[in-house]
Amino acid sequence: TATDGVKVIKNTVFSEPNILAGTANTTFENCYFYGTNTSGMTINNITFEGCTFVDATSYIFNVQGSPAENSPSYKGTLTVNDCTFINCARIFNLPLYVLGESTPGSVVITNNTFYGVTGENRSVIQLSSQTIYNTTSTEKGYINITVSNNTFEEISSTQAGIITLHTNLTSISGLSADNVTISNNTVSSDIPADKYVVNDDGKADSAFTPYNITEFKTALNNKFVSGKK
């Protein structure tokens, strides 16, 4: 069915690995995704409501690529609400900012339940940077990211943390956490505080040269701590 130009898919089981690539203006309600991985996808008005994701072997929401300027890839909204993630290797790869994107969109992650991730040195959410194809702009278009009212039930023995900062951010100075909202999340007592925000592959700050994001990492971690229930 379609409402106001948005395709609505309900109560459907998907097992295709790259089913979300190229998806736009679509709402998935109460769907089941088995082994769904995405090589790259947009945030162009896609909603997942009450869905279940099981056995993903790579990123489910892999928002990346170098689209032409004014393409929809980093515009619009990606909403993931009231979903459950079980036995997934990785879940979100999201751009903190996009070079050359003048009207960056939003990612809304709310009311979900995460049962850890199975990928070694991976996290539930990875923040990275992306670039519009052939741009000469050095202006950072920050994506508005909301992580609220979620439940992080557990962490696997090989999991890096909850939020990972990709290595392509570590040498960038002056990063802002203003566009990231983290609030009212429930975190299992089994997850130590030093696993809330971690570096790529869970490496120490000293493993990166240069390492210019100490202040940003601290700000993000403070948001996570203050945003716990």
Side-chain angles (χ1 to χ4, degrees):
T1 60
T3 303
D4 296 329
V6 176
K7 183 178 181 180
V8 180
I9 301 173
K10 298 182 179 182
N11 305 314
T12 303
V13 177
F14 296 96
S15 58
E16 298 89 341
N18 205 30
I19 188 67
L20 302 180
T23 301
N25 300 314
T26 303
T27 294
F28 297 89
E29 295 182 3
N30 300 313
C31 293
Y32 286 79
F33 295 85
Y34 291 96
T36 296
N37 311 309
T38 309
S39 57
M41 65 178 294
T42 73
I43 58 175
N44 188 23
N45 301 324
I46 312 170
T47 297
F48 298 84
E49 186 76 37
C51 296
T52 301
F53 297 83
V54 180
D55 295 342
T57 59
S58 189
Y59 289 113
I60 300 170
F61 307 101
N62 193 14
V63 182
Q64 67 169 7
S66 300
E69 193 170 3
N70 298 320
S71 80
S73 281
Y74 300 111
K75 296 175 171 62
T77 302
L78 168 63
T79 301
V80 181
N81 181 63
D82 195 27
C83 295
T84 302
F85 299 84
I86 302 168
N87 200 45
C88 295
R90 313 177 186 188
I91 300 176
F92 294 95
N93 179 35
L94 305 176
L96 173 69
Y97 68 82
V98 182
L99 289 178
E101 176 57 79
S102 58
T103 55
S106 301
V107 177
V108 180
I109 304 167
T110 50
N111 302 301
N112 304 290
T113 301
F114 300 98
Y115 289 94
V117 295
T118 59
E120 186 174 1
N121 292 325
R122 298 299 96 196
S123 296
V124 175
I125 301 168
Q126 175 175 270
L127 297 180
S128 61
S129 66
Q130 297 293 332
T131 304
I132 296 295
Y133 176 73
N134 212 27
T135 186
T136 58
S137 174
T138 58
E139 190 72 22
K140 300 181 182 74
Y142 280 90
I143 303 294
N144 295 298
I145 300 172
T146 299
V147 182
S148 296
N149 295 298
N150 301 288
T151 299
F152 299 93
E153 286 285 3
E154 59 189 38
I155 190 169
S156 72
S157 60
T158 61
Q159 183 174 336
I162 295 177
I163 299 176
T164 282
L165 306 179
H166 190 271
T167 187
N168 65 13
L169 296 176
T170 57
S171 64
I172 308 298
S173 59
L175 288 181
S176 173
D178 291 349
N179 289 64
V180 181
T181 299
I182 304 175
S183 63
N184 297 319
N185 295 295
T186 299
V187 183
S188 168
S189 59
D190 294 333
I191 302 176
D194 63 358
K195 295 291 188 180
Y196 295 166
V197 181
V198 300
N199 296 322
D200 204 1
D201 293 328
K203 294 178 181 177
D205 296 357
S206 58
F208 300 90
T209 303
Y211 189 79
N212 290 333
I213 60 169
T214 299
E215 185 175 339
F216 170 74
K217 183 180 177 184
T218 299
L220 205 61
N221 192 73
N222 289 342
K223 284 179 179 248
F224 200 100
V225 172
S226 63
K228 283 175 53 182
K229 284 185 178 179

Short mmCIF file of all heavy atoms in Angstrom, two decimals, residues 85-147:
data_model
loop_
_atom_site.label_atom_id
_atom_site.label_comp_id
_atom_site.label_asym_id
_atom_site.label_seq_id
_atom_site.Cartn_x
_atom_site.Cartn_y
_atom_site.Cartn_z
N PHE A 85 16.78 -6.39 17.86
CA PHE A 85 17.96 -6.86 17.13
C PHE A 85 18.59 -8.01 17.91
O PHE A 85 19.01 -7.84 19.05
CB PHE A 85 18.96 -5.72 16.96
CG PHE A 85 18.41 -4.57 16.16
CD1 PHE A 85 17.64 -3.58 16.78
CD2 PHE A 85 18.62 -4.49 14.80
CE1 PHE A 85 17.12 -2.51 16.05
CE2 PHE A 85 18.10 -3.43 14.05
CZ PHE A 85 17.35 -2.45 14.69
N ILE A 86 18.66 -9.19 17.25
CA ILE A 86 19.12 -10.40 17.91
C ILE A 86 20.22 -11.06 17.06
O ILE A 86 20.03 -11.28 15.86
CB ILE A 86 17.96 -11.40 18.11
CG1 ILE A 86 16.83 -10.76 18.94
CG2 ILE A 86 18.44 -12.68 18.78
CD1 ILE A 86 15.55 -11.56 18.96
N ASN A 87 21.34 -11.36 17.69
CA ASN A 87 22.42 -12.11 17.04
C ASN A 87 22.90 -11.44 15.75
O ASN A 87 23.16 -12.10 14.74
CB ASN A 87 21.96 -13.55 16.75
CG ASN A 87 23.14 -14.50 16.54
OD1 ASN A 87 24.11 -14.46 17.30
ND2 ASN A 87 23.08 -15.32 15.50
N CYS A 88 23.04 -10.13 15.79
CA CYS A 88 23.49 -9.38 14.62
C CYS A 88 24.95 -8.97 14.80
O CYS A 88 25.36 -8.53 15.87
CB CYS A 88 22.63 -8.14 14.42
SG CYS A 88 20.90 -8.52 14.03
N ALA A 89 25.73 -9.10 13.73
CA ALA A 89 27.16 -8.78 13.80
C ALA A 89 27.41 -7.29 13.96
O ALA A 89 28.27 -6.86 14.73
CB ALA A 89 27.88 -9.31 12.56
N ARG A 90 26.67 -6.49 13.20
CA ARG A 90 26.77 -5.04 13.24
C ARG A 90 25.37 -4.49 12.93
O ARG A 90 24.57 -5.17 12.30
CB ARG A 90 27.75 -4.51 12.20
CG ARG A 90 29.09 -5.23 12.15
CD ARG A 90 29.97 -4.68 11.06
NE ARG A 90 31.19 -5.45 10.90
CZ ARG A 90 32.21 -5.12 10.12
NH1 ARG A 90 32.14 -3.99 9.43
NH2 ARG A 90 33.28 -5.87 10.03
N ILE A 91 25.12 -3.24 13.31
CA ILE A 91 23.76 -2.72 13.08
C ILE A 91 23.79 -1.39 12.32
O ILE A 91 23.32 -1.31 11.20
CB ILE A 91 22.99 -2.61 14.41
CG1 ILE A 91 22.89 -4.00 15.06
CG2 ILE A 91 21.59 -2.04 14.16
CD1 ILE A 91 22.24 -4.03 16.41
N PHE A 92 24.34 -0.33 12.90
CA PHE A 92 24.32 0.99 12.25
C PHE A 92 25.72 1.45 11.88
O PHE A 92 26.63 1.41 12.71
CB PHE A 92 23.73 2.05 13.19
CG PHE A 92 22.28 1.87 13.52
CD1 PHE A 92 21.90 1.20 14.68
CD2 PHE A 92 21.30 2.39 12.70
CE1 PHE A 92 20.56 1.06 15.01
CE2 PHE A 92 19.96 2.25 13.02
CZ PHE A 92 19.58 1.58 14.17
N ASN A 93 25.89 1.90 10.66
CA ASN A 93 27.06 2.68 10.26
C ASN A 93 26.52 4.02 9.78
O ASN A 93 25.89 4.11 8.72
CB ASN A 93 27.85 2.00 9.16
CG ASN A 93 29.06 2.83 8.72
OD1 ASN A 93 29.69 3.49 9.53
ND2 ASN A 93 29.37 2.80 7.43
N LEU A 94 26.74 5.08 10.55
CA LEU A 94 26.11 6.37 10.29
C LEU A 94 27.16 7.46 10.14
O LEU A 94 28.14 7.50 10.87
CB LEU A 94 25.19 6.76 11.46
CG LEU A 94 24.12 5.75 11.86
CD1 LEU A 94 23.38 6.25 13.09
CD2 LEU A 94 23.16 5.49 10.72
N PRO A 95 26.94 8.38 9.20
CA PRO A 95 27.84 9.52 9.11
C PRO A 95 27.53 10.55 10.20
O PRO A 95 26.37 10.96 10.36
CB PRO A 95 27.55 10.10 7.72
CG PRO A 95 26.14 9.68 7.42
CD PRO A 95 25.92 8.38 8.14
N LEU A 96 28.54 10.91 10.94
CA LEU A 96 28.39 12.02 11.88
C LEU A 96 28.20 13.31 11.08
O LEU A 96 27.35 14.14 11.41
CB LEU A 96 29.63 12.15 12.76
CG LEU A 96 29.71 13.36 13.67
CD1 LEU A 96 28.68 13.26 14.78
CD2 LEU A 96 31.11 13.52 14.25
N TYR A 97 28.98 13.43 10.00
CA TYR A 97 28.85 14.57 9.10
C TYR A 97 29.15 14.13 7.68
O TYR A 97 29.75 13.06 7.44
CB TYR A 97 29.78 15.72 9.51
CG TYR A 97 31.25 15.43 9.33
CD1 TYR A 97 31.88 15.56 8.09
CD2 TYR A 97 32.03 15.02 10.41
CE1 TYR A 97 33.23 15.29 7.94
CE2 TYR A 97 33.37 14.75 10.26
CZ TYR A 97 33.97 14.88 9.02
OH TYR A 97 35.30 14.61 8.87
N VAL A 98 28.73 14.97 6.72
CA VAL A 98 28.98 14.70 5.30
C VAL A 98 29.58 15.97 4.68
O VAL A 98 28.95 17.03 4.69
CB VAL A 98 27.69 14.33 4.55
CG1 VAL A 98 27.99 14.01 3.09
CG2 VAL A 98 26.99 13.15 5.22
N LEU A 99 30.78 15.86 4.16
CA LEU A 99 31.39 17.00 3.48
C LEU A 99 30.64 17.30 2.19
O LEU A 99 30.40 16.41 1.37
CB LEU A 99 32.86 16.71 3.16
CG LEU A 99 33.84 16.66 4.34
CD1 LEU A 99 35.23 16.32 3.83
CD2 LEU A 99 33.86 17.97 5.11
N GLY A 100 30.23 18.54 2.03
CA GLY A 100 29.55 18.96 0.81
C GLY A 100 28.04 18.79 0.85
O GLY A 100 27.37 19.14 -0.11
N GLU A 101 27.49 18.30 1.97
CA GLU A 101 26.03 18.15 2.07
C GLU A 101 25.46 19.40 2.73
O GLU A 101 25.69 19.66 3.91
CB GLU A 101 25.67 16.91 2.89
CG GLU A 101 24.18 16.72 3.13
CD GLU A 101 23.39 16.67 1.84
OE1 GLU A 101 23.38 15.62 1.20
OE2 GLU A 101 22.81 17.72 1.47
N SER A 102 24.69 20.18 1.97
CA SER A 102 24.18 21.46 2.47
C SER A 102 22.91 21.30 3.30
O SER A 102 22.58 22.17 4.11
CB SER A 102 23.92 22.42 1.30
OG SER A 102 23.00 21.84 0.38
N THR A 103 22.15 20.23 3.08
CA THR A 103 20.92 20.01 3.84
C THR A 103 20.90 18.59 4.38
O THR A 103 20.12 17.74 3.94
CB THR A 103 19.68 20.26 2.96
OG1 THR A 103 19.75 19.43 1.78
CG2 THR A 103 19.57 21.70 2.55
N PRO A 104 21.75 18.31 5.37
CA PRO A 104 21.83 16.95 5.91
C PRO A 104 20.54 16.55 6.62
O PRO A 104 19.82 17.39 7.17
CB PRO A 104 23.00 17.03 6.90
CG PRO A 104 23.08 18.48 7.27
CD PRO A 104 22.68 19.23 6.04
N GLY A 105 20.26 15.26 6.58
CA GLY A 105 19.02 14.74 7.15
C GLY A 105 19.16 14.30 8.60
O GLY A 105 20.05 14.76 9.32
N SER A 106 18.27 13.38 8.98
CA SER A 106 18.19 12.93 10.38
C SER A 106 18.12 11.41 10.45
O SER A 106 17.55 10.76 9.58
CB SER A 106 16.95 13.52 11.06
OG SER A 106 16.96 14.93 11.03
N VAL A 107 18.69 10.89 11.53
CA VAL A 107 18.54 9.48 11.87
C VAL A 107 17.95 9.41 13.27
O VAL A 107 18.51 9.98 14.21
CB VAL A 107 19.88 8.73 11.81
CG1 VAL A 107 19.70 7.27 12.24
CG2 VAL A 107 20.47 8.80 10.40
N VAL A 108 16.82 8.71 13.40
CA VAL A 108 16.11 8.63 14.68
C VAL A 108 16.07 7.17 15.11
O VAL A 108 15.46 6.32 14.44
CB VAL A 108 14.68 9.19 14.55
CG1 VAL A 108 13.95 9.10 15.88
CG2 VAL A 108 14.72 10.63 14.05
N ILE A 109 16.71 6.87 16.23
CA ILE A 109 16.80 5.50 16.76
C ILE A 109 16.15 5.52 18.13
O ILE A 109 16.73 6.00 19.11
CB ILE A 109 18.27 5.05 16.85
CG1 ILE A 109 18.97 5.17 15.49
CG2 ILE A 109 18.38 3.63 17.39
CD1 ILE A 109 20.48 5.04 15.56
N THR A 110 14.91 5.01 18.22
CA THR A 110 14.14 5.14 19.45
C THR A 110 13.40 3.86 19.81
O THR A 110 12.92 3.12 18.94
CB THR A 110 13.10 6.27 19.32
OG1 THR A 110 12.34 6.08 18.11
CG2 THR A 110 13.75 7.64 19.28
N ASN A 111 13.31 3.59 21.11
CA ASN A 111 12.45 2.52 21.66
C ASN A 111 12.81 1.13 21.16
O ASN A 111 11.96 0.24 21.10
CB ASN A 111 10.98 2.81 21.35
CG ASN A 111 10.52 4.13 21.90
OD1 ASN A 111 10.59 4.37 23.11
ND2 ASN A 111 10.09 5.04 21.03
N ASN A 112 14.08 0.93 20.82
CA ASN A 112 14.52 -0.37 20.32
C ASN A 112 15.19 -1.19 21.43
O ASN A 112 15.61 -0.65 22.46
CB ASN A 112 15.51 -0.18 19.17
CG ASN A 112 14.95 0.66 18.06
OD1 ASN A 112 14.05 0.25 17.34
ND2 ASN A 112 15.45 1.89 17.92
N THR A 113 15.30 -2.49 21.19
CA THR A 113 16.01 -3.38 22.11
C THR A 113 17.16 -4.04 21.36
O THR A 113 16.96 -4.67 20.32
CB THR A 113 15.08 -4.46 22.68
OG1 THR A 113 13.99 -3.83 23.36
CG2 THR A 113 15.83 -5.35 23.66
N PHE A 114 18.37 -3.88 21.91
CA PHE A 114 19.57 -4.42 21.29
C PHE A 114 20.17 -5.49 22.20
O PHE A 114 20.49 -5.22 23.36
CB PHE A 114 20.60 -3.31 21.07
CG PHE A 114 20.12 -2.19 20.18
CD1 PHE A 114 19.62 -1.01 20.73
CD2 PHE A 114 20.16 -2.32 18.80
CE1 PHE A 114 19.18 0.02 19.92
CE2 PHE A 114 19.72 -1.28 17.98
CZ PHE A 114 19.22 -0.12 18.54
N TYR A 115 20.34 -6.69 21.65
CA TYR A 115 20.96 -7.78 22.40
C TYR A 115 22.42 -7.92 21.98
O TYR A 115 22.86 -8.97 21.53
CB TYR A 115 20.19 -9.07 22.18
CG TYR A 115 18.84 -9.08 22.86
CD1 TYR A 115 17.69 -8.69 22.17
CD2 TYR A 115 18.70 -9.43 24.19
CE1 TYR A 115 16.45 -8.67 22.79
CE2 TYR A 115 17.46 -9.42 24.83
CZ TYR A 115 16.35 -9.03 24.12
OH TYR A 115 15.11 -9.01 24.74
N GLY A 116 23.17 -6.84 22.10
CA GLY A 116 24.57 -6.85 21.75
C GLY A 116 24.81 -7.05 20.27
O GLY A 116 23.88 -7.07 19.45
N VAL A 117 26.08 -7.17 19.89
CA VAL A 117 26.45 -7.52 18.51
C VAL A 117 27.49 -8.63 18.57
O VAL A 117 28.27 -8.73 19.52
CB VAL A 117 26.99 -6.31 17.71
CG1 VAL A 117 25.92 -5.27 17.50
CG2 VAL A 117 28.22 -5.71 18.36
N THR A 118 27.51 -9.45 17.54
CA THR A 118 28.39 -10.62 17.52
C THR A 118 29.70 -10.37 16.79
O THR A 118 30.63 -11.18 16.90
CB THR A 118 27.68 -11.81 16.87
OG1 THR A 118 27.31 -11.47 15.53
CG2 THR A 118 26.42 -12.18 17.65
N GLY A 119 29.80 -9.28 16.03
CA GLY A 119 31.02 -9.00 15.28
C GLY A 119 32.17 -8.63 16.20
O GLY A 119 32.01 -7.82 17.12
N GLU A 120 33.33 -9.21 15.94
CA GLU A 120 34.48 -8.94 16.78
C GLU A 120 34.92 -7.48 16.64
O GLU A 120 35.08 -6.97 15.53
CB GLU A 120 35.64 -9.86 16.40
CG GLU A 120 36.84 -9.73 17.32
CD GLU A 120 37.92 -10.76 17.03
OE1 GLU A 120 37.73 -11.57 16.10
OE2 GLU A 120 38.95 -10.75 17.74
N ASN A 121 35.06 -6.81 17.78
CA ASN A 121 35.47 -5.40 17.84
C ASN A 121 34.49 -4.47 17.12
O ASN A 121 34.88 -3.41 16.64
CB ASN A 121 36.88 -5.21 17.27
CG ASN A 121 37.94 -5.84 18.15
OD1 ASN A 121 37.81 -5.85 19.37
ND2 ASN A 121 38.97 -6.38 17.54
N ARG A 122 33.23 -4.87 17.05
CA ARG A 122 32.19 -4.03 16.45
C ARG A 122 31.30 -3.48 17.56
O ARG A 122 31.35 -3.90 18.71
CB ARG A 122 31.35 -4.81 15.45
CG ARG A 122 32.11 -5.38 14.24
CD ARG A 122 32.74 -4.28 13.41
NE ARG A 122 34.13 -4.06 13.75
CZ ARG A 122 34.82 -2.99 13.41
NH1 ARG A 122 34.27 -2.01 12.74
NH2 ARG A 122 36.09 -2.87 13.75
N SER A 123 30.42 -2.53 17.17
CA SER A 123 29.50 -1.91 18.13
C SER A 123 28.10 -1.84 17.52
O SER A 123 27.91 -2.13 16.33
CB SER A 123 29.98 -0.51 18.50
OG SER A 123 31.22 -0.55 19.18
N VAL A 124 27.15 -1.44 18.34
CA VAL A 124 25.78 -1.26 17.84
C VAL A 124 25.74 -0.13 16.81
O VAL A 124 25.12 -0.26 15.75
CB VAL A 124 24.81 -0.97 19.01
CG1 VAL A 124 23.41 -0.65 18.48
CG2 VAL A 124 24.77 -2.14 19.98
N ILE A 125 26.41 0.97 17.12
CA ILE A 125 26.42 2.14 16.24
C ILE A 125 27.86 2.54 15.94
O ILE A 125 28.68 2.67 16.87
CB ILE A 125 25.71 3.34 16.90
CG1 ILE A 125 24.25 2.99 17.23
CG2 ILE A 125 25.77 4.58 16.01
CD1 ILE A 125 23.57 4.01 18.12
N GLN A 126 28.18 2.71 14.68
CA GLN A 126 29.46 3.28 14.30
C GLN A 126 29.22 4.66 13.68
O GLN A 126 28.36 4.81 12.82
CB GLN A 126 30.19 2.41 13.28
CG GLN A 126 31.49 3.04 12.77
CD GLN A 126 32.28 2.13 11.85
OE1 GLN A 126 33.12 1.37 12.31
NE2 GLN A 126 32.02 2.20 10.56
N LEU A 127 29.98 5.64 14.14
CA LEU A 127 29.93 6.98 13.56
C LEU A 127 31.16 7.19 12.70
O LEU A 127 32.29 6.92 13.13
CB LEU A 127 29.87 8.05 14.66
CG LEU A 127 28.64 8.02 15.58
CD1 LEU A 127 28.75 9.13 16.62
CD2 LEU A 127 27.36 8.16 14.78
N SER A 128 30.94 7.68 11.49
CA SER A 128 32.03 7.88 10.54
C SER A 128 31.83 9.22 9.85
O SER A 128 30.98 10.02 10.24
CB SER A 128 32.07 6.74 9.52
OG SER A 128 30.85 6.70 8.78
N SER A 129 32.59 9.47 8.79
CA SER A 129 32.36 10.65 7.96
C SER A 129 32.19 10.19 6.51
O SER A 129 32.70 9.15 6.11
CB SER A 129 33.52 11.63 8.07
OG SER A 129 34.70 11.08 7.51
N GLN A 130 31.45 10.97 5.73
CA GLN A 130 31.24 10.68 4.33
C GLN A 130 31.44 11.96 3.52
O GLN A 130 31.51 13.06 4.10
CB GLN A 130 29.83 10.11 4.08
CG GLN A 130 29.57 8.78 4.77
CD GLN A 130 30.39 7.64 4.21
OE1 GLN A 130 30.79 7.65 3.05
NE2 GLN A 130 30.66 6.64 5.05
N THR A 131 31.52 11.83 2.20
CA THR A 131 31.79 12.97 1.33
C THR A 131 30.93 12.89 0.08
O THR A 131 30.81 11.82 -0.53
CB THR A 131 33.27 12.99 0.90
OG1 THR A 131 34.10 12.99 2.07
CG2 THR A 131 33.58 14.21 0.06
N ILE A 132 30.31 14.00 -0.28
CA ILE A 132 29.57 14.06 -1.53
C ILE A 132 30.56 13.93 -2.70
O ILE A 132 31.63 14.52 -2.69
CB ILE A 132 28.80 15.40 -1.65
CG1 ILE A 132 27.74 15.50 -0.55
CG2 ILE A 132 28.17 15.55 -3.03
CD1 ILE A 132 26.63 14.49 -0.65
N TYR A 133 30.20 13.17 -3.69
CA TYR A 133 31.08 12.89 -4.82
C TYR A 133 31.57 14.18 -5.49
O TYR A 133 30.80 15.08 -5.78
CB TYR A 133 30.35 12.03 -5.84
CG TYR A 133 31.12 11.76 -7.10
CD1 TYR A 133 32.20 10.88 -7.09
CD2 TYR A 133 30.80 12.41 -8.29
CE1 TYR A 133 32.93 10.63 -8.23
CE2 TYR A 133 31.53 12.16 -9.45
CZ TYR A 133 32.60 11.27 -9.41
OH TYR A 133 33.31 11.04 -10.55
N ASN A 134 32.86 14.26 -5.69
CA ASN A 134 33.50 15.32 -6.46
C ASN A 134 33.36 16.71 -5.82
O ASN A 134 33.53 17.72 -6.48
CB ASN A 134 32.93 15.37 -7.89
CG ASN A 134 33.97 15.83 -8.90
OD1 ASN A 134 35.16 15.64 -8.69
ND2 ASN A 134 33.51 16.43 -10.00
N THR A 135 33.04 16.75 -4.54
CA THR A 135 32.90 18.05 -3.88
C THR A 135 34.27 18.63 -3.55
O THR A 135 35.22 17.88 -3.30
CB THR A 135 32.06 17.95 -2.60
OG1 THR A 135 31.83 19.27 -2.08
CG2 THR A 135 32.76 17.13 -1.52
N THR A 136 34.35 19.94 -3.54
CA THR A 136 35.56 20.62 -3.07
C THR A 136 35.29 21.31 -1.73
O THR A 136 36.17 21.97 -1.19
CB THR A 136 36.02 21.67 -4.10
OG1 THR A 136 34.96 22.60 -4.33
CG2 THR A 136 36.41 21.00 -5.41
N SER A 137 34.07 21.13 -1.23
CA SER A 137 33.68 21.78 0.02
C SER A 137 34.37 21.14 1.22
O SER A 137 34.56 19.93 1.28
CB SER A 137 32.16 21.68 0.20
OG SER A 137 31.78 22.18 1.48
N THR A 138 34.74 21.97 2.17
CA THR A 138 35.28 21.49 3.43
C THR A 138 34.27 21.70 4.56
O THR A 138 34.58 21.51 5.72
CB THR A 138 36.59 22.21 3.78
OG1 THR A 138 36.35 23.63 3.84
CG2 THR A 138 37.66 21.92 2.75
N GLU A 139 33.05 22.11 4.17
CA GLU A 139 31.99 22.37 5.15
C GLU A 139 31.38 21.05 5.59
O GLU A 139 30.96 20.23 4.78
CB GLU A 139 30.92 23.26 4.53
CG GLU A 139 29.89 23.77 5.52
CD GLU A 139 30.45 24.83 6.45
OE1 GLU A 139 31.45 25.47 6.09
OE2 GLU A 139 29.87 25.01 7.55
N LYS A 140 31.32 20.84 6.91
CA LYS A 140 30.74 19.63 7.46
C LYS A 140 29.22 19.79 7.61
O LYS A 140 28.76 20.65 8.36
CB LYS A 140 31.35 19.30 8.83
CG LYS A 140 32.85 19.06 8.84
CD LYS A 140 33.31 18.72 10.25
CE LYS A 140 34.81 18.53 10.32
NZ LYS A 140 35.52 19.84 10.23
N GLY A 141 28.47 18.97 6.90
CA GLY A 141 27.02 18.94 7.08
C GLY A 141 26.69 17.87 8.10
O GLY A 141 26.71 16.67 7.81
N TYR A 142 26.39 18.29 9.34
CA TYR A 142 26.18 17.33 10.42
C TYR A 142 24.79 16.69 10.33
O TYR A 142 23.78 17.39 10.24
CB TYR A 142 26.33 18.00 11.78
CG TYR A 142 27.77 18.19 12.21
CD1 TYR A 142 28.47 19.35 11.88
CD2 TYR A 142 28.43 17.21 12.94
CE1 TYR A 142 29.79 19.53 12.26
CE2 TYR A 142 29.75 17.38 13.34
CZ TYR A 142 30.43 18.53 12.99
OH TYR A 142 31.73 18.71 13.37
N ILE A 143 24.75 15.37 10.36
CA ILE A 143 23.50 14.63 10.42
C ILE A 143 22.91 14.79 11.82
O ILE A 143 23.64 14.74 12.82
CB ILE A 143 23.72 13.14 10.11
CG1 ILE A 143 24.38 12.95 8.73
CG2 ILE A 143 22.42 12.36 10.21
CD1 ILE A 143 23.51 13.36 7.57
N ASN A 144 21.61 14.98 11.93
CA ASN A 144 20.94 15.04 13.24
C ASN A 144 20.64 13.61 13.68
O ASN A 144 19.82 12.92 13.07
CB ASN A 144 19.65 15.85 13.14
CG ASN A 144 19.91 17.31 12.80
OD1 ASN A 144 20.57 18.01 13.57
ND2 ASN A 144 19.43 17.75 11.66
N ILE A 145 21.31 13.17 14.73
CA ILE A 145 21.20 11.79 15.20
C ILE A 145 20.57 11.77 16.58
O ILE A 145 21.05 12.44 17.50
CB ILE A 145 22.58 11.11 15.23
CG1 ILE A 145 23.20 11.10 13.82
CG2 ILE A 145 22.48 9.69 15.79
CD1 ILE A 145 24.63 10.62 13.79
N THR A 146 19.49 11.00 16.72
CA THR A 146 18.81 10.84 18.01
C THR A 146 18.84 9.38 18.43
O THR A 146 18.42 8.50 17.67
CB THR A 146 17.35 11.31 17.93
OG1 THR A 146 17.32 12.70 17.58
CG2 THR A 146 16.63 11.11 19.25
N VAL A 147 19.33 9.13 19.63
CA VAL A 147 19.37 7.77 20.20
C VAL A 147 18.67 7.87 21.56
O VAL A 147 19.28 8.28 22.55
CB VAL A 147 20.81 7.27 20.36
CG1 VAL A 147 20.84 5.84 20.92
CG2 VAL A 147 21.55 7.33 19.03
#
